[in-house]
C-alpha cells in the first residue's frame, strides 16, 4: 500500500463511540411496537468497549405487539430504558453509560439511578416533560443532548 493511500485512510473521519451507540439506539427504536413514540436505549461500559444491555419500548414478551390503550403517556408499553435495565446483568459496581433516543421520563431516570453506577446519559430528542434532568443531576449523573453521527 502506498504512503498516500495510508494517509488517506488514516485521515478519514470516524464516528465517535457515543455517535455509534446513539445510532444503535435509533435502530433499536425501529423495533418498538408503541403507536405513539418509538424509543431505543443502549447501556454500555464507560470505556465503550462493551454493550451491557439494549431495550426498546413495547409490550411485555408474549403479549400482543401493540399498546394496551390509546391514552398518551399511559399506553401500557414498557419504556425502552425500563427494558434495558431489566436486560442489564452487569453488577451495580460496573460503571455505565446510557444512550437513549429521547430524554428519559422521571420514572425511567429513577430506574437508571437504581441500576447503579450510571455515570452519564446521552439523549437525542427532548421528552415532553424535562423534570428528569433535575433528578439525574441531583445524584451526579451527567446528561448530554447529542446529535447522531451523520456522514
Amino acid at each position: 500500500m502506498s504512503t498516500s493511500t495510508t494517509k488517506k485512510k488514516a485521515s478519514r473521519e470516524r464516528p465517535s463511540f457515543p455517535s455509534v451507540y446513539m445510532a444503535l439506539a435509533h435502530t433499536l427504536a425501529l423495533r418498538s411496537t408503541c403507536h405513539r413514540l418509538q424509543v431505543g436505549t443502549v447501556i454500555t461500559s464507560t470505556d465503550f468497549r462493551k454493550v451491557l444491555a439494549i431495550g426498546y419500548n413495547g409490550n411485555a414478551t408474549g403479549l400482543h405487539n401493540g399498546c394496551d390503550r390509546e391514552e398518551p403517556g399511559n399506553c401500557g408499553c414498557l419504556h425502552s430504558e425500563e427494558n434495558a435495565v431489566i436486560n442489564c446483568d452487569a453488577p451495580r459496581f460496573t460503571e455505565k453509560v446510557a444512550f437513549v433516543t429521547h430524554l428519559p421520563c422521571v420514572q425511567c431516570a429513577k430506574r437508571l439511578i437504581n441500576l447503579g453506577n450510571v455515570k452519564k446519559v446521552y439523549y437525542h430528542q427532548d421528552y415532553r416533560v424535562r423534570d428528569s434532568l433535575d433528578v439525574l443531576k441531583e445524584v451526579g449523573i451527567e446528561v448530554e443532548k447529542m446529535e447522531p453521527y451523520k456522514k
Side-chain angles (χ1 to χ4, degrees):
M1 190 179 299
S2 73
T3 306
S4 63
T5 305
T6 304
K7 286 181 181 177
K8 281 183 182 178
K9 285 188 176 184
S11 66
R12 71 178 173 82
E13 187 179 335
R14 295 170 53 199
S16 66
F17 279 118
S19 294
V20 168
Y21 290 127
M22 184 59 73
L24 178 56
H26 277 280
T27 300
L28 288 165
L30 297 173
R31 291 195 46 82
S32 170
T33 56
C34 182
H35 301 298
R36 187 180 66 81
L37 187 65
Q38 289 70 48
V39 182
T41 299
V42 178
I43 299 173
T44 71
S45 59
T46 54
D47 66 0
F48 305 118
R49 302 290 179 202
K50 294 182 181 180
V51 172
L52 303 174
I54 62 168
Y56 52 88
N57 58 328
N59 217 334
T61 302
L63 298 179
H64 71 282
N65 283 327
C67 301
D68 294 335
R69 298 174 288 283
E70 296 299 318
E71 181 184 345
N74 191 26
C75 69
C77 289
L78 296 170
H79 291 195
S80 72
E81 304 93 328
E82 186 173 21
N83 276 321
V85 167
I86 290 166
N87 292 331
C88 189
D89 59 3
R92 288 182 57 81
F93 61 80
T94 300
E95 294 183 343
K96 303 165 190 74
V97 177
F99 299 86
V100 190
T101 57
H102 295 72
L103 179 67
C105 69
V106 169
Q107 291 304 312
C108 284
K110 290 178 179 180
R111 289 178 181 104
L112 290 169
I113 291 167
N114 274 2
L115 179 59
N117 242 340
V118 173
K119 298 299 182 186
K120 188 166 189 173
V121 174
Y122 289 95
Y123 73 98
H124 172 217
Q125 296 176 346
D126 279 313
Y127 182 62
R128 59 188 162 87
V129 179
R130 297 175 45 85
D131 296 346
S132 62
L133 288 170
D134 294 331
V135 172
L136 292 165
K137 289 178 183 175
E138 183 177 337
V139 296
I141 296 176
E142 189 179 343
V143 181
E144 182 177 330
K145 184 174 183 179
M146 68 173 288
E147 295 298 321
Y149 176 76
K150 298 206 180 182
K151 194 170 182 182

